[in-house]
Amino acid sequence: MTIYQQLISQSGQSKKSLAVLVDPDKLLNGDVENIAINAAKAGVDYFFVGGSLLVNNELDQCIITLKANSKIPVILFPGNTMQMSRNADAILFLSLISGRNAEMLIGRHVIAAPYLKQSSLEVISCGYMLVDSGKTTAVQYMSNTVPIPSDKLDIAICTAMAGEMLGMKLLYLEAGSGALNSVPLAMIEQVKQNITIPLISGGGLRTPEQANAAAIAGADIIVIGTAFEKNSGLISEMADAVHKASKRV
Ligand code: 1GP
């Protein structure tokens, strides 16, 4: 089964997943090892690996360490075309559909396509929607795009609908790593009600209660990174909070 087939099957059964975001620049190799061990114990579903700007060339080592210490699938979550690695299992092929920067909508993808074609990475197209979070985030600055205002639910809904109609396999509602405010629950709820593909959400989720609420609102995958950078012991509580939002059938 491919990772995407697994995602579709879980979303169809209203099973919620936790993805731990690992930014190789923010962690030492020992920290990555701890995260992998704690995540495996906690039953974490996915690792997302990447960052808005990586300067330390630690991406491959980070993935190797995650894989050496767990069987959790590693999905690239690239901030740019430098962040590709054959050691990962899959890549979120992100098109920044909330913005109007052609490079982020299709330009970088043209550059990445031949590499991806030759690799064995599973390529999963993903409509990436940046939502205003109260301050300028790294992704907003680096992508040179304007986020969707957090109170404009109609814009978020129509953007998500257009993304699905264009053939995106996933949608990602993103407040940005370390966001002041996470994506409003009403926005997650409304977007989910208007699409049929799985929904990812993350950015600024710091407590198990917040993660649980975002999953109940409709996110199929909750992504958390910053909260684990200082305390990887929090992973098991967060995983429980997300998993318990699954509907019992
Ligand atoms: C960023 O949504 C993720 O793309 C995770 O954000 O680091 O704030 O948890 P945090």
Side-chain angles (χ1 to χ4, degrees), residues 168-198:
M168 302 289 166
K169 291 182 178 167
L170 295 175
L171 285 165
Y172 194 139
L173 271 178
E174 168 77 284
S177 193
L180 217 50
N181 306 309
S182 51
V183 177
L185 296 177
M187 187 179 278
I188 297 178
E189 206 172 274
Q190 293 286 313
V191 164
K192 180 64 183 174
Q193 280 172 17
N194 284 281
I195 57 171
T196 62
I197 50 178

Side-chain angles (χ1 to χ4, degrees), residues 41-234:
K41 272 195 222 145
V44 162
D45 304 273
Y46 305 102
F47 285 124
F48 285 3
V49 181
S52 291
L53 177 68
L54 299 186
V55 292
N56 289 331
N57 197 22
E58 296 290 348
L59 181 70
D60 275 302
Q61 185 52 49
C62 173
I63 296 170
I64 289 166
T65 305
L66 290 173
K67 290 209 145 287
N69 291 283
S70 82
K71 292 195 166 61
I72 301 169
V74 176
I75 303 177
L76 295 170
F77 177 49
N80 57 53
T81 45
M82 311 275 288
Q83 295 176 29
M84 292 194 286
S85 165
R86 288 187 162 89
N87 293 310
D89 299 299
I91 181 167
L92 292 183
F93 205 38
L94 303 164
S95 181
L96 213 174
I97 59 174
S98 57
R100 299 296 178 267
N101 179 345
E103 277 300 307
M104 296 291 161
L105 281 161
I106 179 68
R108 305 276 174 90
H109 312 69
V110 175
I111 296 165
Y115 173 94
L116 294 174
K117 185 89 178 166
Q118 284 162 34
S119 78
S120 57
L121 288 167
E122 181 184 338
V123 180
I124 308 173
S125 64
C126 180
Y128 189 60
M129 296 167 56
L130 189 58
V131 178
D132 189 69
S133 65
K135 68 167 186 186
T136 305
T137 53
V139 53
Q140 180 181 340
Y141 181 83
M142 293 303 294
S143 67
N144 195 17
T145 65
V146 178
I148 296 173
S150 59
D151 59 345
K152 301 292 181 203
L153 300 194
D154 50 351
I155 297 180
I157 293 166
C158 296
T159 306
M161 289 187 333
E164 178 171 10
M165 289 170 187
L166 280 166
M168 302 289 166
K169 291 182 178 167
L170 295 175
L171 285 165
Y172 194 139
L173 271 178
E174 168 77 284
S177 193
L180 217 50
N181 306 309
S182 51
V183 177
L185 296 177
M187 187 179 278
I188 297 178
E189 206 172 274
Q190 293 286 313
V191 164
K192 180 64 183 174
Q193 280 172 17
N194 284 281
I195 57 171
T196 62
I197 50 178
L199 179 64
I200 306 174
S201 190
L205 296 169
R206 293 175 187 84
T207 66
E209 293 73 24
Q210 288 176 319
N212 177 265
I216 288 178
D220 297 288
I221 302 180
I222 298 295
V223 189
I224 299 176
T226 307
F228 301 143
E229 280 162 14
K230 286 197 185 94
N231 180 10
S232 64
L234 198 61

